[in-house]
Amino acid sequence: MPEQNITAAGARSAFIEGVIACGPTILGYWSIGFASGAIGAISGFSISEILLLSALLYAGSAQFLFYSLWTAGAGPSAVVLAVLLVNIRYLLMSSYLARFFSGASTMQKFVSGVLLTDETFGVATQFATGRGALPYRWMLGLNVAAYVNWIVANFMGALFAAVIPAGISHGLGFSLTAMFIGLLALNYFGSARKRLEIVAMVTSAAAVLATMRVLDVNVSVLVATALAATICATVLQIRERRGRLS
């Protein structure tokens, strides 16, 4: 019995630590979620529909895209394909984090992956870099805190949409970019491989600039991400092989 109590206490502690780790991104979730809920209401969606969309789609950029396409009269197939294209980057993120869940069950991996966002990915990556693993309870706390705040922020935005000018609601979308920049800086300064981080950033930026006039911007981002990840992974493998041979 004492051992079970210790195990339960450790699980609760890890969960709470995950919730606390989500703290730096909460303001971003609220500003973006508030804007998303407001834009959804302005676009003619009911509060229940906005809550359902925020809970099931759970993606800021995809929700903004959904509202704009639906309001413009795009068909369901076009909306679904566009959302899938925007969110396909999570395949790469989940694949990267999978190596830190070697001891987790299939269900634990599924739950951790299905609630993954750009922000939780950045926080989890920084946490796992110096530890080599991601405790499931910690990741659950991080994801649940982000998920709950996102839904509540959408709800509040939808409620107050009537008193918020549309220009201000759309302007809040810039906070998404600002939060990504902050997470990028946080990840860079906390990384032990700063040169490799610079290579990834330069490669991604160059790839986007080279392809954005030829490809859709979302495809350009995907290509840039895949290219930067491939180059960095190759460099790491070469370093590991050299370390084994020396």
Side-chain angles (χ1 to χ4, degrees):
M1 185 66 69
E3 292 182 359
Q4 293 178 352
N5 291 336
I6 293 174
T7 302
R12 286 194 297 270
S13 177
F15 182 86
I16 294 173
E17 288 177 2
V19 172
I20 294 173
C22 188
T25 65
I26 294 297
L27 183 59
Y29 279 112
W30 267 87
S31 59
I32 302 164
F34 195 89
S36 177
I39 292 173
I42 293 172
S43 300
F45 290 86
S46 66
I47 293 180
S48 59
E49 289 172 336
I50 292 171
L51 285 175
L52 185 63
L53 186 65
S54 63
L56 297 180
L57 181 54
Y58 185 42
S61 56
Q63 281 181 223
F64 282 112
L65 179 63
F66 176 88
Y67 292 136
S68 62
L69 289 176
W70 193 268
T71 303
S77 59
V79 173
V80 171
L81 287 175
V83 169
L84 286 175
L85 183 61
V86 170
N87 288 342
I88 200 171
R89 66 188 184 279
Y90 291 116
L91 289 176
L92 297 173
M93 296 180 185
S94 298
S95 298
Y96 176 80
L97 289 182
R99 61 183 180 139
F100 299 114
F101 286 95
S102 57
S105 65
T106 301
M107 180 55 68
Q108 289 176 338
K109 293 178 181 178
F110 174 78
V111 172
S112 299
V114 77
L115 293 178
L116 188 68
T117 67
D118 300 271
E119 296 78 24
T120 56
F121 172 78
V123 175
T125 300
Q126 184 184 21
F127 179 88
T129 298
R131 295 169 178 81
L134 279 171
Y136 168 69
R137 291 286 181 178
W138 183 91
M139 191 68 188
L140 183 64
L142 174 69
N143 281 336
V144 168
Y147 186 62
V148 171
N149 275 280
W150 176 255
I151 294 175
V152 173
N154 272 265
F155 175 69
M156 296 302 295
L159 281 180
F160 289 96
V163 297
I164 299 176
I168 295 178
S169 298
H170 288 282
L172 288 175
F174 178 74
S175 58
L176 180 66
T177 303
M179 184 168 59
F180 287 161
I181 294 174
L183 286 172
L184 179 63
L186 184 65
N187 189 64
Y188 171 77
F189 289 111
S191 175
R193 304 185 181 96
K194 289 186 172 57
R195 291 183 180 179
L196 201 59
E197 299 284 356
I198 293 175
V199 170
M201 287 186 275
V202 172
T203 301
S204 299
V208 170
L209 291 175
T211 60
M212 65 185 303
R213 293 185 179 181
V214 180
L215 304 174
D216 179 83
V217 64
N218 295 304
V219 178
S220 296
V221 172
L222 180 61
V223 170
T225 303
L227 180 61
T230 301
I231 292 176
C232 291
T234 302
V235 172
L236 287 174
Q237 288 180 354
I238 293 174
R239 288 181 179 178
E240 289 180 1
R241 289 176 183 176
R242 289 179 178 176
R244 292 173 184 172
L245 294 175
S246 60

